[in-house]
Every structure is written in C-alpha cells, then in structure tokens.
Amino acid sequence: MRKARLEAFSDGVIAIIITIMVLEIKVPHGQKLTDLLHLLPIFLSYLLSFIYLGIYWNNHHHMLHVATHVTGAILWANLHLLFWLSLVPFATGWVGENHFAPLPLAVYGIVLLMSAIAYYILQSLIIQNEGSDSLLAKAVGKDWKGKLSPVLYLLAIGAAFFSTWISGSLYIFAALIWLIPDRRIENMLKKEDRE
Amino acid sequence: MRKARLEAFSDGVIAIIITIMVLEIKVPHGQKLTDLLHLLPIFLSYLLSFIYLGIYWNNHHHMLHVATHVTGAILWANLHLLFWLSLVPFATGWVGENHFAPLPLAVYGIVLLMSAIAYYILQSLIIQNEGSDSLLAKAVGKDWKGKLSPVLYLLAIGAAFFSTWISGSLYIFAALIWLIPDRRIENMLKKEDRE
Amino acid sequence: MRKARLEAFSDGVIAIIITIMVLEIKVPHGQKLTDLLHLLPIFLSYLLSFIYLGIYWNNHHHMLHVATHVTGAILWANLHLLFWLSLVPFATGWVGENHFAPLPLAVYGIVLLMSAIAYYILQSLIIQNEGSDSLLAKAVGKDWKGKLSPVLYLLAIGAAFFSTWISGSLYIFAALIWLIPDRRIENMLKKEDRE
Amino acid sequence: MRKARLEAFSDGVIAIIITIMVLEIKVPHGQKLTDLLHLLPIFLSYLLSFIYLGIYWNNHHHMLHVATHVTGAILWANLHLLFWLSLVPFATGWVGENHFAPLPLAVYGIVLLMSAIAYYILQSLIIQNEGSDSLLAKAVGKDWKGKLSPVLYLLAIGAAFFSTWISGSLYIFAALIWLIPDRRIENMLKKEDRE
C-alpha cells in the first residue's frame, strides 16, 4: 500500500521531468533546415538525458519491485533522489544551449553524480531494511555499475575543462553500461519462481 | 504488478505530453477576433496531435490489457515509444507556428513514422513474449492499420514538398482510419468471456 | 482493471491541466505591491478555473466510481472531454490577461459549454452501457445541474458583449451551484450499503 | 477505492507542482560561473520549496494511509489544500527572482500559512469522520508541529519587512522541525501490529 504510493509519486515526478525537458527544445521561428539543424545540440543532450532518466526509472522500478517495506527514511531518501533528478532538465538545457561548453558539461556531471549518490543512499536504506539475506541484497550483489558510474562522472567533470569531446563521450559511455540488460534482479526473480 | 507500473508511467508521460502541447497555444496579447483567428493553424495542429496521442493511448491501453508478462526489453521498447511521442508537441508547435510549411509538415511525419515503428517494435516484443497462440497475437492478426499507417506517413512526408494540402490530408486520413472502432481486441475479450 | 487505467489517465490529465494553469501567473519583475495587484485579474480567473476543474474531477470521480464497464466508445468520449478541459488554461489566461474583456469572456464560456456537452455525452454513454436500472442512472436522475449549467454558459457568452460583470457573475454562479454538495450518488451508495 | 483515487490525484498534482517549480530556474544564456552563481537565490528558494512540498506529500501520505473513509467534503478540503500548494511555485519564483526582497518573502509566508490552514481543515475533517478513537486521532495527538508552524509563518511574514534574514531563517527553521522524523503515525502502526 505505502509502497504503491511511493512508486506512483516517483513515476509521476520522473514522467514529468522526462517530459518537461522537451520544452527546452523551443520551436524555431524559421521553417528552414538550418533552423532545425541549429537545434541539434539541444536535441542530442535531450536524447542523452532521456536515456539517463529512463535508466533511473527502470532501476527504481526493479529495486522497488523487490522491496517489501517502506519507512519514513526511505520516503525522504526517495525525495532526495527526485530532487537531483529534477535538476536534469536545467543541466540538459544549459549544455544544449551552449553547444557542450566546459562549465555546463561539468555541471551536468555534478547533477548526475549527486543523483547517483542519492540512488546509492536509497538503495542502501532499502537493503538495510530488508536484511542482507533479502532478494534485493543478493540481486544488487557487487553492483559494479553503481560503483563505476560515479567514477566516470568524476572523470567527465574533470575532462570537461580540457576536452569536451572526452567529457561527452564519458557521459555516453556511462549511459551505455546501464543499457546492457541488467539481468541480476530478473534472474533472481526467475530463480525464486523455480524454487 | 510490474505491468501496473509500466502502465502508470506510460499514462503519466502521455498525459503530460498531451497537456503540455496546449502550452504552444500562447495566450494572445490582443483581445480581438483576429487575435484568436491568428491561432487557428496552431489550434488545428493541436487538435490533430491530440487525436494521434489519444489513439496511441487507446491502443497502448488495449495492448497492455491483454499482456501478461513484462520484461526488461519491453520496458525499454516502451521508453523508446515514449521518446518519439515526446517529440510530438515540438513538431506540432513547429507545424502550427509556420502555418503548415513544407519542412515542418515533413518533420511532423517523421516523428509519427518513428512513433509507429517504435509501437510496432513494442508490440512485436510483447507478442513474442506471449506466444503466437496468445490473445494478443490473435487480436492483432494481420494488423492492416499498423501496416498502412507508416506508408501513409511516408507519402505525406514526400508530399509535403509538393503540396502541403495533400500532405496534411494524408495525416488526417491516417488518424481517421484509427478512429474507426478497433473491435479486434474487444471482440477477442468478449469471445473469451463466452467460452 | 480497464476502468482503473481510464481513471488514472484522466486524473493525470486533469492534475496537469489544473497545475499548468498556474504557469499563466507569470512571476512579476518588480517587487512592489502594485506588481502583485497587477496580477489580481489573472489570479481571480485562475481561482475560478481551479474550482471548475475541481468540480469536473469530483463529478468524474463519482461517476466512474459507480460505473462497472468501460468500452472503446467511453474511452473516446472521455478523451473528448479531456480535450475541451485542456483548453481551459488557454481561455483562463486570455481572460485574465485582458482583464475580463468581452471576447475572451465569451471564449471562456464556449470552452465551458463544450466541456459540459462532452461530459453529458460521456455520462450518457456510461448510463446506456450500465442500463437504466443501474446505480448511476438512478443517481443522476433528473440532473438539473447538468441541464442548467449549459444554459447559464450560453447566457454568459451572450452577456459578455453587453456587460462583462453580468457575464462573469453567471460563470461564478454556475460554479457555485455545483459546490452545493451533490449528495445524489453518495446517498445512493449509503442506501445500497444499508440494504 | 475512492481513497486510492484521491491519493493518485493528489500525488499527481504535488508531483507536477514540485517539478514545474524547476522551470523557474531558467537556463542562462552565458556559460560562465557568474551566470550560474546569478541563479543561486532562485536555486536556494527552489530547494526550500522542494523540502516544503516533500513534507506536505509525506504528511499527506501518512494521514491518508490511516484514513478509512473519504467523503465529498474531504475531496473538496483536499482540493483546497492543493490550490494553495499550487501557488508555491509562483511565490518561490518571485522570492528567488527578487533575491529575497521583503514583499515576496511575505507573500511566500502567506502561501505557506494558507497551505497549513488548508491542511489543518483537511486533517480535522478526516479525524471527525474517523472518530476520536481512531488511529489517526491518536497519532496526531497534540500536533505541536501543526500548531507551531502557522505561528512561525506569521512571525516570518511580519519579520520580512524588518529583516529578510530573520524572515528567511524562520522559514528554514519551520521546515526543519518537520524533517525531524515524525514517528507518531509510524509508532501507532507498529503498536497496532504488535497487538
């Protein structure tokens, strides 16, 4: 019951964040191809952020799926995560409007880094609540993706001031490692079903 | 359970997309009839896109209704569909603001085409998962609407550069064929109930 | 199941409509009382529209509560209602920005009138589906509010061109009659419980 | 059932309010650190309002969790609360854009005060409906936070015209007292479970 409402609220906030980002792609006044091409950096940064938010929604979905209890601390850790995610449209718009300039790219990374930390806190609280023998604890396991991502964000933040290409590539790479299907929880669930 | 959250998230995103589109109809500064009539092309493009998004929500609703399992791949195929749908307000605003100019009309068609392809991928993944004997596989059947629509979009994209009237009419026609009540799944459900 | 998703989608759209309306109250650049007072007509039109959307949500909520089946036609009638409601923020913003000028006031009434008609169509389809002996059919009964409202809107649309005060008052009056608690469905439910 | 839809609608509205607030943080045209630092007051006011809305969502969540019946009056009291909360983004944007000037700070307090009163009305209606022996009545108890907050808002509104620092500090303090975990309802629930 309480979990259902936490999920519904998170779904709502993430759905709105993902959708208002598109408002940054402002309708051009002209009607030529150059008017459209001018929007390319904004479109690309939108695409990347859409994928990031999709990853968060997906992971959030899986994590809550195996959680059984929701405490007050978990509610606040979840709001903390949503706070940082809510800044993604701002960072995305800034990156896009400035054609991947150094400082916007670094700020983008800071928002991603803080989101990753917030997610880690939420995950830790849920695991602590569920117990180390829980389905979630086993499923998360060593969580190499969760540990590698913040390192990549840190590298990308630093790289932004030397090469925006390297920085941008690191953000793309950090997204791609999450797109590789994460069969951990799915496998655990199938195993449980079989037993 | 997992299906419920997929539906809730999709409902949220489509509800937001459909509603933020109306933000493109900017409140005019004047208070005369000419100020209002000036908005007519924006209003008409909003109406058409509202119908398209309504069709997608309706079909998505019916399709998920008969689906029984949701996999990680289905979650991503669904996000892929939502990505293209999220670009509808941009394309709609561009078409409306430029009074149905060729390039905006063609871009509108590209967004519709990509959405149709994304829907097809999602549908195929769900059918593959449910099995060819499933309720959905039977209900979708030959899916002539799903096959005709992309062809109409392609024709409309090409026509946009010769006659915007033909192009616009094709988009309207492609919407109308979906408005004819699609009794496929409803009939299947009734049949199941009777047996 | 299907009803749940119809409710969820309608809730989402109405929640977004009600909230994006507030975006019309643009943050003033100044920080004086006159800057705030300047926003008074926009604030008042927002308040009235908030109440109207609240009434629609409430009535929609009660109506769906007693509905048992949802058909394809009902889904479309519901989308038709949401379409007209989605134009409320535009009409509200236009009325507020022009300090209750005649044409904006009339357009506001047209949007309310079309919404009322759309609601009537939806209600009729549900009653037709439920049967004339159904809980909803009995609860709606003579539906004097539903019949009086469109008349008041028509009067207000006409009055807008002679006296904006009379027109505005009629809109307020038409809202107030709905605020009188509508115990019809609640009473029916209590009765059912007792039997 | 009816409670579920009330929760869903409230979740939707609060989720949208919390997210559209971020639209006030407008993407700067420049790409320098000074462009970003210029946004600091807007960011800080966003952060504070995010916490306030988080508190409201949390408390609303807990309150509805133990409520068993929903009446028409409760639906309207809930809409009344959502109305005042919907003005938070406007007040937040005004405070941020004017760097915590007196009048915006006072208006911010008025919106918080009216929200607190609306919440109190909603809570009283639910308790009245549940009975004084109900879980909620016991859990709320003396409700010192609910009684202290309006006093703090009133003080902050008055202080705004003398010292914006004192006023701002009072708003922060009033938020902090709610962040102290409110174990009342959680403890009641645990107790019930044990018995």
Side-chain angles (χ1 to χ4, degrees):
Chain A
M1 186 69 186
R2 294 179 70 190
K3 197 179 83 168
R5 204 173 166 192
L6 176 68
E7 288 183 321
F9 185 71
S10 307
D11 281 356
V13 172
I14 298 175
I16 300 158
I17 292 171
I18 226 171
T19 324
I20 61 171
M21 260 198 315
V22 87
L23 293 176
E24 289 297 332
I25 313 182
K26 303 240 165 66
V27 172
H29 290 294
Q31 57 187 60
K32 293 191 186 139
L33 196 59
T34 48
D35 297 310
L36 197 66
L37 290 177
H38 204 75
L39 293 173
L40 198 65
I42 292 178
F43 178 78
L44 291 178
S45 59
Y46 172 61
L47 176 60
L48 183 61
S49 294
F50 191 98
I51 292 171
Y52 265 117
L53 286 166
I55 291 165
Y56 270 103
W57 180 74
N58 242 324
N59 290 349
H60 193 269
H61 174 100
H62 280 103
M63 180 166 65
L64 265 294
H65 186 60
V66 290
T68 52
H69 293 299
V70 167
T71 64
I74 289 172
L75 291 183
W76 276 106
N78 192 59
L79 276 167
H80 179 233
L81 170 63
L82 295 177
F83 175 76
W84 289 108
L85 292 181
S86 80
L87 294 175
V88 169
F90 167 79
T92 305
W94 205 32
V95 161
E97 198 153 296
N98 290 287
H99 296 219
F100 306 94
L103 187 63
L105 264 180
V107 167
Y108 188 76
I110 292 169
V111 171
L112 288 181
L113 181 63
M114 295 311 292
S115 303
I117 292 171
Y119 189 86
Y120 181 79
I121 294 171
L122 176 61
Q123 184 177 274
S124 304
L125 276 171
I126 295 177
I127 289 178
Q128 187 188 312
N129 208 41
E130 300 281 312
S132 54
D133 287 338
S134 66
L135 194 54
L136 182 63
K138 283 181 208 157
V140 167
K142 291 192 181 154
D143 189 24
W144 65 272
K145 288 180 183 179
K147 278 170 188 147
L148 180 57
S149 297
V151 177
L152 291 173
Y153 301 148
L154 275 172
L155 286 174
I157 293 166
F161 299 99
F162 299 99
S163 160
T164 53
W165 281 102
I166 293 177
S167 177
S169 306
L170 282 166
Y171 292 132
I172 293 166
F173 179 69
L176 289 180
I177 61 168
W178 285 101
L179 285 181
I180 307 164
D182 195 344
R183 305 216 179 276
R184 292 176 304 179
I185 291 176
E186 282 193 58
N187 286 344
M188 296 303 294
L189 285 172
K190 275 183 199 153
K191 235 173 163 176
E192 292 282 303
D193 283 349
R194 253 180 274 131
E195 279 161 19
Chain B
M1 184 70 186
R2 294 179 69 190
K3 197 179 85 169
R5 204 173 166 192
L6 175 68
E7 289 183 321
F9 185 71
S10 307
D11 281 356
V13 171
I14 297 175
I16 299 157
I17 293 171
I18 224 170
T19 323
I20 62 171
M21 259 198 316
V22 88
L23 293 175
E24 289 297 332
I25 313 182
K26 302 240 165 66
V27 172
H29 290 295
Q31 57 188 59
K32 291 189 187 141
L33 195 59
T34 49
D35 298 311
L36 199 65
L37 290 177
H38 205 75
L39 294 172
L40 198 65
I42 293 178
F43 178 78
L44 290 178
S45 59
Y46 172 60
L47 176 60
L48 183 61
S49 293
F50 191 98
I51 291 171
Y52 266 116
L53 285 166
I55 291 165
Y56 270 104
W57 180 73
N58 242 323
N59 291 349
H60 192 269
H61 174 100
H62 280 104
M63 180 166 65
L64 266 294
H65 185 60
V66 289
T68 53
H69 293 300
V70 168
T71 64
I74 289 172
L75 291 182
W76 276 106
N78 192 58
L79 277 166
H80 178 233
L81 170 63
L82 295 177
F83 175 76
W84 289 108
L85 292 181
S86 80
L87 295 175
V88 169
F90 168 79
T92 305
W94 205 32
V95 161
E97 198 153 295
N98 289 288
H99 297 220
F100 305 94
L103 187 64
L105 264 179
V107 167
Y108 188 76
I110 292 169
V111 170
L112 288 182
L113 181 63
M114 295 311 292
S115 303
I117 293 171
Y119 190 86
Y120 182 79
I121 294 171
L122 176 61
Q123 185 177 274
S124 303
L125 276 171
I126 295 176
I127 289 178
Q128 187 187 312
N129 209 40
E130 300 282 312
S132 55
D133 287 337
S134 66
L135 194 55
L136 182 63
K138 283 182 208 157
V140 167
K142 292 191 181 153
D143 190 22
W144 65 271
K145 288 181 183 179
K147 278 171 189 146
L148 180 57
S149 296
V151 177
L152 291 173
Y153 300 148
L154 275 172
L155 286 173
I157 292 166
F161 299 100
F162 299 98
S163 160
T164 53
W165 281 101
I166 293 177
S167 178
S169 305
L170 282 166
Y171 291 133
I172 293 167
F173 180 68
L176 290 180
I177 62 169
W178 285 100
L179 285 181
I180 307 164
D182 195 343
R183 304 217 179 277
R184 293 177 303 181
I185 291 177
E186 282 194 59
N187 285 344
M188 296 305 294
L189 285 172
K190 276 182 200 153
K191 235 173 162 176
E192 292 282 304
D193 283 349
R194 253 180 275 133
E195 281 160 20
Chain C
M1 185 67 186
R2 295 178 69 190
K3 197 178 84 168
R5 205 174 165 192
L6 176 68
E7 289 183 320
F9 185 72
S10 307
D11 280 357
V13 172
I14 298 175
I16 299 157
I17 293 172
I18 225 170
T19 323
I20 62 171
M21 261 198 314
V22 88
L23 293 175
E24 289 297 331
I25 313 181
K26 304 241 164 64
V27 172
H29 290 294
Q31 57 187 59
K32 291 186 187 143
L33 196 58
T34 49
D35 297 311
L36 199 64
L37 290 178
H38 205 74
L39 294 173
L40 197 65
I42 293 177
F43 178 77
L44 290 179
S45 59
Y46 173 61
L47 176 60
L48 183 61
S49 294
F50 191 98
I51 292 171
Y52 266 115
L53 286 166
I55 291 165
Y56 270 103
W57 180 74
N58 243 321
N59 290 349
H60 193 269
H61 174 101
H62 280 104
M63 179 166 66
L64 266 295
H65 186 59
V66 289
T68 53
H69 293 300
V70 168
T71 64
I74 289 172
L75 291 182
W76 276 106
N78 191 59
L79 276 167
H80 178 233
L81 170 63
L82 295 177
F83 175 75
W84 289 107
L85 292 180
S86 81
L87 294 175
V88 169
F90 168 79
T92 305
W94 205 32
V95 161
E97 199 153 295
N98 290 288
H99 297 219
F100 305 94
L103 187 64
L105 263 180
V107 167
Y108 188 75
I110 291 169
V111 170
L112 287 182
L113 181 63
M114 295 310 293
S115 302
I117 291 170
Y119 189 85
Y120 181 80
I121 293 171
L122 176 62
Q123 186 178 271
S124 303
L125 275 171
I126 295 177
I127 289 178
Q128 187 187 311
N129 208 40
E130 299 283 312
S132 56
D133 287 338
S134 65
L135 194 54
L136 182 63
K138 284 183 209 156
V140 167
K142 292 193 180 151
D143 190 23
W144 65 272
K145 288 180 184 179
K147 278 170 190 148
L148 181 57
S149 297
V151 177
L152 291 173
Y153 300 148
L154 274 172
L155 286 174
I157 293 167
F161 298 99
F162 299 99
S163 161
T164 53
W165 280 102
I166 293 177
S167 178
S169 305
L170 282 166
Y171 291 133
I172 294 167
F173 179 69
L176 290 180
I177 61 168
W178 285 101
L179 285 181
I180 308 164
D182 195 343
R183 304 216 180 277
R184 292 177 303 179
I185 292 177
E186 282 194 57
N187 286 344
M188 295 305 294
L189 285 172
K190 275 182 201 153
K191 235 173 162 176
E192 292 282 303
D193 283 349
R194 254 180 274 134
E195 282 161 19
Chain D
M1 185 68 186
R2 295 179 69 191
K3 198 178 85 168
R5 206 175 163 191
L6 176 69
E7 289 183 320
F9 184 72
S10 307
D11 280 358
V13 172
I14 298 175
I16 299 158
I17 292 171
I18 226 170
T19 324
I20 62 171
M21 261 199 313
V22 87
L23 294 176
E24 290 296 332
I25 313 181
K26 302 243 164 65
V27 172
H29 290 293
Q31 58 188 60
K32 291 189 187 140
L33 196 58
T34 49
D35 297 310
L36 199 65
L37 290 177
H38 205 74
L39 294 173
L40 198 64
I42 292 177
F43 178 78
L44 290 178
S45 58
Y46 172 60
L47 176 60
L48 183 60
S49 294
F50 191 98
I51 292 171
Y52 266 116
L53 285 166
I55 291 165
Y56 271 103
W57 181 74
N58 243 322
N59 290 350
H60 193 269
H61 174 101
H62 280 103
M63 180 166 64
L64 265 294
H65 186 59
V66 289
T68 53
H69 294 301
V70 167
T71 64
I74 290 172
L75 291 182
W76 277 106
N78 192 58
L79 276 166
H80 178 232
L81 170 63
L82 295 177
F83 175 76
W84 290 107
L85 293 180
S86 80
L87 295 175
V88 169
F90 167 80
T92 305
W94 206 31
V95 161
E97 198 152 294
N98 289 289
H99 296 219
F100 306 93
L103 187 64
L105 263 179
V107 167
Y108 188 75
I110 292 169
V111 171
L112 288 181
L113 181 63
M114 295 309 294
S115 303
I117 292 170
Y119 190 85
Y120 182 79
I121 293 171
L122 176 61
Q123 186 177 272
S124 303
L125 276 170
I126 295 176
I127 289 178
Q128 187 188 312
N129 208 40
E130 300 282 312
S132 56
D133 286 340
S134 65
L135 194 54
L136 182 62
K138 283 182 209 156
V140 167
K142 292 192 181 152
D143 191 22
W144 65 272
K145 288 181 184 178
K147 279 171 188 146
L148 181 56
S149 297
V151 177
L152 292 173
Y153 300 149
L154 274 172
L155 287 174
I157 293 167
F161 299 99
F162 300 99
S163 160
T164 54
W165 280 102
I166 293 177
S167 177
S169 305
L170 282 166
Y171 291 132
I172 294 166
F173 179 68
L176 290 180
I177 61 168
W178 285 101
L179 285 181
I180 308 164
D182 194 343
R183 304 217 179 276
R184 292 177 302 180
I185 291 176
E186 282 194 57
N187 286 344
M188 297 303 296
L189 284 172
K190 275 183 200 152
K191 236 174 162 175
E192 292 281 304
D193 284 350
R194 254 179 276 132
E195 281 160 20

